[in-house]
Amino acid sequence: PHDPLRDLLQPLDFDAELKDYGTRFVPGTRQWVFDTINQWLSDDGEGRCRVLLGGPGFGKTAIVARLCETRRDAVVGVHMCRHNDTRKRDPRRMVRTLAHQLAQALPDYRAALESKAEQLAREVDSLTTTELVDRLLVQPLAGIPPLDGHKLLVVDALDEAEHDKKN
């Protein structure tokens, strides 16, 4: 079926990349990471954000792929920044991709975006990154009923994103 929000937001698709990284995950490893995330997901009082930090080779991307596979109930969006791919390191494209994924996962959010679709169509290409975050994420999310529990909006390799022509 035709998806006007897809046409408007032009999201990137990470399915093949996630599948590839998922094959690299060694079952039984990094269980403490999953235990920590699962605990956070089940406890509404534990803060609104979690950050996973680790050096090169730690397996963060494989963990992200595994989370997308095993916690589909909780993962509402994922963007994988890559320093060597202009589209994947573009923060504007990241915001548009995450907005589209949120619209797929959260019907109330989708309705909020669709109600502003005509206005967004006129301005989305001219908005700054900060304005995009506000129009596509902050405002629509603020206008929907509270979600049941925590959800995961994952940005992998954020340090590889570009801002003002710099990583």
Side-chain angles (χ1 to χ4, degrees), residues 48-101:
R48 295 172 28 176
C49 182
R50 284 288 180 257
V51 177
L52 174 62
L53 299 173
F58 178 79
K60 297 177 299 294
T61 304
I63 289 168
V64 166
R66 185 71 173 180
L67 279 170
C68 290
E69 180 184 326
T70 62
R71 291 306 312 255
R72 290 176 194 232
D73 61 312
V75 177
V76 293
V78 63
H79 184 88
M80 302 172 82
C81 300
R82 296 293 173 258
H83 75 280
N84 59 352
D85 186 321
T86 56
R87 297 170 314 130
K88 292 178 182 176
R89 72 176 184 236
D90 178 358
R92 296 171 41 77
R93 184 63 77 111
M94 175 177 60
V95 172
R96 292 169 76 149
T97 296
L98 292 172
H100 185 261
Q101 292 171 351

Side-chain angles (χ1 to χ4, degrees), residues 71-136:
R71 291 306 312 255
R72 290 176 194 232
D73 61 312
V75 177
V76 293
V78 63
H79 184 88
M80 302 172 82
C81 300
R82 296 293 173 258
H83 75 280
N84 59 352
D85 186 321
T86 56
R87 297 170 314 130
K88 292 178 182 176
R89 72 176 184 236
D90 178 358
R92 296 171 41 77
R93 184 63 77 111
M94 175 177 60
V95 172
R96 292 169 76 149
T97 296
L98 292 172
H100 185 261
Q101 292 171 351
L102 283 169
Q104 301 303 310
L106 307 173
D108 289 333
Y109 174 84
R110 181 179 192 84
L113 274 189
E114 286 175 339
S115 74
K116 303 283 187 192
E118 282 187 37
Q119 178 185 352
L120 288 170
R122 288 190 302 272
E123 64 185 16
V124 72
D125 290 328
S126 63
L127 295 173
T128 66
T129 303
T130 302
E131 292 168 334
L132 271 178
V133 169
D134 184 58
R135 302 279 202 321
L136 295 180

Side-chain angles (χ1 to χ4, degrees), residues 30-42:
R30 309 293 188 264
Q31 189 57 47
W32 67 270
V33 174
F34 296 101
D35 292 345
T36 301
I37 291 169
N38 287 328
Q39 177 62 41
W40 177 76
L41 286 169
S42 67

